[in-house]
Amino acid sequence: QVSDNAYLTTESSAMVGSNVAGIGSSNSIFNNPAGLSDVENIQLTTGGGNLFGYVWLPSYYFSGIAPIPILGKVAFGFQQLKTKSGSAILSTEQTLSMGYGFNLQKDKNSQLSFGMVGSYVQWDLGKSAGVSGDGSDGLNLGILNTVTVDVGFIASLRNKYRCGVYIKNINSGAIGTGMTRTVLPRRLNAGITYSPISELATSISMERLLGNSDIQIKGGLQYSLNSMIYLMMGAQANPNRFGIGAKFKFINQTLTY
């Protein structure tokens, strides 16, 4: 489900979703809106890829943030996931989000931030197989939609220690009605980021679907080779997952893979 893809952005994919307490960017709207309070300038980010490497599961995202006087740090995000079979689109999931982050407290040594995101989630079921079997002459199966709310907190000390908590779908948003009503995943993610030096940030987090006893443990790091090149990697248990990536900065542009 595009509304609960913990590895949506390139950075989250490389660090296997362990960056819940990391330094914020416009993409914080997807993994912890409290990080939006870290951003001091206008940012626009876009990216995409094939979910799990399958060409029939193309996924895209777009985010932006702008510090607005009096209001604070206001951000928006858009995500889309399609399920395709050849040229036919079997279903389309998309989410439009608006987020807000601000500091509850900030002084020379510490900072406490809070963020909230409201999302409109839409699921277009496409067409039935029809007589031809490929959906070209099928019936429209309709569109389902709902609204979800996410909240997050980040506490930091001396720019070295950061602790973050993120709760996904805190309002138990659901799609469908009656017997087909399904509550979208509700997820709790809590983690710590430690930066012993300015060039290195290490992260560890715990993630659990609310209502499920299974716990995922994730760890990741980001290391700056120089002012232009950053390396990222991460590992996860239950299920096992490994990620690696790189970030290249050019003046006011950043390319991440």
Side-chain angles (χ1 to χ4, degrees):
Q1 292 174 321
V2 68
S3 62
D4 189 49
N5 183 0
Y7 319 103
L8 176 68
T9 67
T10 48
E11 184 175 276
S12 294
S13 181
M15 299 181 67
V16 297
S18 64
N19 55 337
V20 65
I23 299 296
S25 69
S26 64
N27 283 338
S28 295
I29 195 171
F30 301 127
N31 52 49
N32 189 345
L36 297 173
S37 63
D38 294 328
V39 182
E40 298 296 338
N41 48 29
I42 296 175
Q43 291 185 4
L44 296 174
T45 306
T46 186
N50 296 321
L51 190 63
F52 306 123
Y54 296 123
V55 296
W56 44 275
L57 289 175
S59 175
Y60 311 95
Y61 68 89
F62 183 81
S63 67
I65 182 172
I68 299 178
I70 301 177
L71 293 179
K73 315 299 175 60
V74 179
F76 67 92
F78 176 77
Q79 346 173 22
Q80 185 182 79
L81 171 67
K82 293 183 178 181
T83 303
K84 304 173 68 176
S85 176
S87 59
I89 299 177
L90 304 181
S91 72
T92 302
E93 300 176 52
Q94 49 194 13
T95 301
L96 179 63
S97 306
M98 291 294 297
Y100 176 66
F102 63 95
N103 293 320
L104 296 173
Q105 181 273 335
K106 183 176 182 180
D107 56 34
K108 183 177 180 180
N109 296 313
S110 63
Q111 179 177 332
L112 177 62
S113 306
F114 171 78
M116 178 181 292
V117 174
S119 300
Y120 175 75
V121 182
Q122 183 183 80
W123 183 19
D124 185 344
L125 300 174
K127 294 184 177 181
S128 63
V131 177
S132 63
D134 60 3
S136 59
D137 56 356
L139 300 176
N140 286 318
L141 299 179
I143 297 176
L144 302 176
N145 53 69
T146 189
V147 174
T148 64
V149 177
D150 313 329
V151 297
F153 293 88
I154 292 180
S156 64
L157 178 64
R158 301 184 186 278
N159 293 321
K160 287 182 176 291
Y161 309 93
R162 294 172 63 92
C163 178
V165 176
Y166 174 52
I167 304 176
K168 182 77 175 178
N169 191 18
I170 195 172
N171 65 318
S172 300
I175 56 175
T177 58
M179 296 184 64
T180 65
R181 184 178 184 272
T182 302
V183 177
L184 295 178
R186 303 173 65 234
R187 176 163 50 89
L188 170 66
N189 196 343
I192 297 173
T193 294
Y194 172 54
S195 300
I197 56 177
S198 59
E199 294 83 5
L200 176 66
T202 59
S203 301
I204 185 170
S205 69
M206 175 276 296
E207 181 179 303
R208 182 170 74 90
L209 286 175
L210 299 181
N212 190 322
S213 60
D214 291 339
I215 296 178
Q216 294 179 342
I217 303 298
K218 306 178 178 186
L221 64 86
Q222 179 173 285
Y223 179 71
S224 172
L225 292 177
N226 52 49
S227 61
M228 295 179 60
I229 303 176
Y230 296 75
L231 299 180
M232 301 172 291
M233 63 180 62
Q236 167 190 301
N238 190 29
N240 296 337
R241 184 185 180 107
F242 179 76
I244 189 170
K247 185 186 299 183
F248 306 93
K249 290 190 174 183
F250 309 96
I251 310 177
N252 294 324
Q253 289 77 40
T254 301
L255 175 64
T256 309
Y257 178 78

